[in-house]
Amino acid sequence: MANIQAIRGMHDILPEQTPLWQYAEKIIRDVLSNYGYSEIRLPAVEKTELFKRSIGEVTDIVEKEMYTFDDRNGDSLTLRPEGTAGCLRACLEHGLLHNQVHRLWYYGAMYRHERPQKGRYRQFYQLGVETYGMASADIDAELLLLTDRLWKRLGIREKVRLQLNSLGTIAERLVYRDALVAYFEQHLAILDEDSLRRLKSNPLRILDTKNPAMADVVKNAPELMNYLGDDSRHHFQTILDTLTDLGVSFEINTRLVRGLDYYSKTVFEWVTDELGSQGTICAGGRYDGLIEQLGGKANSAIGFAMGMERLLLLLETLDITVASTIDVYMIRVGEQAEKVGLRLAEQLRTEIPNLKLQLDCTGSGIKSQFKKADKSGAKFAFILGEDEVTQGKIAVKSLRDEQVGQQLLMLSDLADFLRKQNII
Ligand code: ATP
Ligand code: MG
């Protein structure tokens, strides 16, 4: 019988890969707490209606990427393709948005039925950050400074570039939309099928096209920047000034429209040239209109989402070793030694809370246990045989330093020995 395999585009993260994930996750958590952000945990499944209403019907996600199914009650449910909608749903549901300010983050798997390729999967992990209740350009800038700091801590600042744009208010965008439709209508022959459809439903998305045949038409299209009112302009300029002031480099990309309908004013992406067409590792923007759209009182909101797999692909291009290490590998030979060794291991873990001790439970011969000790990457092997047990002693061997020979220690001296090695 053939073995059952994982679903296409959904990947296992194996034990040899998790140390790098944990390394990145720890730095991310540290930086978020530097700025006073709190974690929120959300369900992986929501009512389909939530995503249709928030993301918008005419988007890649809702049109073709959602995992939607009827549950046993006949309700239409969807595996979350992103976290913004669920986060806002939760905050509205629990009354967190009444005259309050929030800085939140969540972390977890998202699901989209896309064509799998490097950096694009059907289950992928996102770090999401959402803030509510702040209209000031300082919070837009804060998100950019936070991510800039994160790249620096991770050592990838040189590998990513910040691209920024302003989409203005919905009213400003409507005027622009008319101008854009009029322009594209003069170039109908060059538009592809997707774009012709979007011309009616969501013409701004045409600017997002990856079709090279349309590159020229898109390049010469009217620019949204020229349709912004004073307030939008000022908001955008304040962000740019703050970034310049604090030495964060950026590029203005007037073609950056982002896939989702709910953005207003600031939109941004952190992109890299090292991952081919899956070059966006972090993307976000302001979505002041969405809270009202989901039935709440009009309020400010801005956030971003970061693709963890793409971040990890970038980290793998660096020369960092973050193997998970253990301190002690304990070898036991003989029935008595097995009994004494297990008790001793427990006792040491109690005495030295940070100790990382792995007990050999294979019951195999001493040679084979030694091989496993070497492979484990441990600093020391503790060896317990019948002789040692009779003497109340244990053999200790350094696995890192060949010069240091094996020594025989009293069981009662082990804790002190470990403390002297700075294992406390
Ligand atoms: P793309 O243009 O690459 O499809 P997107 O605009 O659909 O991206 P968002 O919805 O903004 O992406 O999601 C934020 C981030 O999540 C992306 O910048 C990317 O890093 C990551 N991401 C999105 N879709 C996937 C996927 N299918 N596999 C892996 N990571 C993804
Ligand atoms: Mg996409």
Side-chain angles (χ1 to χ4, degrees):
M1 231 191 314
N3 289 340
I4 297 172
Q5 305 209 320
I7 294 165
R8 195 163 115 82
M10 304 205 179
H11 293 284
D12 305 303
I13 302 170
L14 299 176
E16 61 178 47
Q17 302 169 301
T18 49
L20 193 62
W21 280 76
Q22 290 173 353
Y23 162 84
E25 288 159 359
K26 168 150 192 344
I27 293 179
I28 289 169
R29 263 192 226 113
D30 287 350
V31 171
L32 287 163
S33 66
N34 283 155
Y35 289 79
Y37 285 62
S38 313
E39 185 184 3
I40 183 167
R41 299 192 184 190
L42 305 159
V45 187
E46 298 274 359
K47 292 184 179 153
T48 303
E49 185 58 23
L50 175 69
F51 300 115
K52 287 197 175 162
R53 233 158 83 185
S54 59
I55 298 171
E57 302 258 6
V58 199
T59 55
D60 282 351
I61 294 182
V62 173
E63 277 181 337
K64 50 191 184 199
E65 295 174 0
M66 294 207 303
Y67 278 93
T68 297
F69 59 96
D70 285 346
D71 84 349
R72 289 171 193 275
N73 311 325
D75 298 325
S76 178
L77 306 183
T78 294
L79 298 185
R80 61 179 178 192
E82 52 106 61
T84 300
C87 188
L88 200 45
R89 194 263 317 135
C91 289
L92 285 170
E93 188 170 332
H94 299 283
L96 301 190
L97 299 182
H98 295 297
N99 302 319
Q100 294 176 42
V101 161
H102 286 285
R103 289 174 161 88
L104 304 175
W105 64 269
Y106 50 82
Y107 183 82
M110 305 293 160
Y111 303 85
R112 297 185 194 178
H113 197 274
E114 307 199 58
R115 195 169 68 77
Q117 52 199 294
K118 187 179 168 196
R120 189 177 297 284
Y121 312 105
R122 289 181 175 175
Q123 173 177 302
F124 59 98
Y125 287 84
Q126 269 187 352
L127 165 78
V129 169
E130 315 288 350
T131 74
Y132 304 123
M134 290 167 277
S136 142
D138 281 356
I139 189 68
D140 305 46
E142 178 176 290
L143 291 184
L144 299 170
L145 295 167
L146 183 158
T147 35
D148 175 73
R149 185 178 298 277
L150 179 60
W151 314 138
K152 284 181 184 147
R153 292 254 180 103
L154 290 166
I156 54 166
R157 184 60 184 88
E158 278 71 47
K159 293 176 183 278
V160 292
R161 289 177 285 121
L162 172 59
Q163 303 208 328
L164 278 171
N165 193 19
S166 175
L167 299 181
T169 62
I170 291 171
E172 287 154 9
R173 217 150 62 222
L174 279 177
V175 179
Y176 171 68
R177 183 190 156 114
D178 288 345
L180 195 63
V181 170
Y183 168 80
F184 280 130
E185 275 173 346
Q186 293 165 5
H187 302 277
L188 288 178
I190 299 162
L191 299 191
D192 59 21
E193 200 184 314
D194 256 0
S195 302
L196 285 172
R197 200 163 38 86
R198 295 209 156 117
L199 193 55
K200 295 276 171 307
S201 55
N202 193 350
L204 264 72
R205 285 300 314 283
I206 300 175
L207 299 174
D208 219 13
T209 180
K210 282 165 186 137
N211 182 352
M214 290 174 48
D216 269 351
V217 185
V218 165
K219 198 167 133 245
N220 296 317
E223 290 190 0
L224 176 50
M225 203 58 85
N226 298 327
Y227 291 75
L228 299 190
D230 285 346
D231 176 55
S232 293
R233 264 174 216 278
H234 179 70
H235 187 92
F236 194 50
Q237 193 56 48
T238 308
I239 300 166
L240 304 186
D241 291 347
T242 306
L243 294 177
T244 307
D245 225 31
L246 290 167
V248 178
S249 53
F250 59 84
E251 301 159 13
I252 294 173
N253 176 358
T254 54
R255 305 282 159 225
L256 186 67
V257 292
R258 307 282 307 120
L260 311 181
D261 279 351
Y262 52 52
Y263 288 108
S264 57
K265 289 189 176 162
T266 320
V267 288
F268 62 89
E269 289 191 357
W270 286 95
V271 298
T272 176
D273 296 325
E274 305 202 14
L275 302 177
S277 54
Q278 274 61 252
T280 304
I281 65 168
C282 174
R286 188 169 270 282
Y287 51 95
D288 291 346
L290 183 61
I291 301 184
E292 226 176 347
Q293 204 175 305
L294 286 183
K297 227 175 94 199
N299 206 341
S300 303
I302 177 166
F304 66 78
M306 198 173 92
M308 288 301 292
E309 284 78 3
R310 295 185 192 176
L311 177 70
L312 266 286
L313 284 168
L314 262 192
L315 288 179
E316 280 165 11
T317 66
L318 304 179
D319 216 9
I320 32 177
T321 37
V322 281
S324 68
T325 53
I326 58 172
D327 302 310
V328 174
Y329 191 93
M330 190 184 285
I331 294 171
R332 304 166 299 162
V333 186
E335 211 171 299
Q336 268 310 101
E338 281 177 0
K339 213 167 180 171
V340 175
L342 191 147
R343 289 174 64 108
L344 177 65
E346 280 303 295
Q347 199 183 322
L348 288 172
R349 292 183 187 114
T350 306
E351 273 184 73
I352 303 179
N354 284 324
L355 176 65
K356 291 178 233 157
L357 183 153
Q358 201 173 85
L359 187 66
D360 189 303
C361 294
T362 61
S364 48
I366 186 154
K367 257 200 176 148
S368 147
Q369 290 194 47
F370 252 116
K371 264 195 198 139
K372 293 196 178 71
D374 274 328
K375 242 182 112 183
S376 76
K379 296 183 190 112
F380 299 99
F382 285 5
I383 307 119
L384 209 54
E386 297 297 337
D387 285 353
E388 284 83 5
V389 171
T390 326
Q391 297 172 48
K393 292 186 174 170
I394 192 163
V396 174
K397 183 173 190 278
S398 167
L399 297 173
R400 300 270 174 89
D401 193 344
E402 299 275 311
Q403 314 294 351
V404 184
Q406 194 163 308
Q407 49 180 323
L408 214 52
L409 294 180
M410 298 292 295
L411 296 185
S412 53
D413 289 341
L414 272 184
D416 268 348
F417 168 82
L418 288 169
R419 287 192 195 101
K420 280 201 192 106
Q421 312 298 323
N422 278 329
I423 301 167
I424 46 174

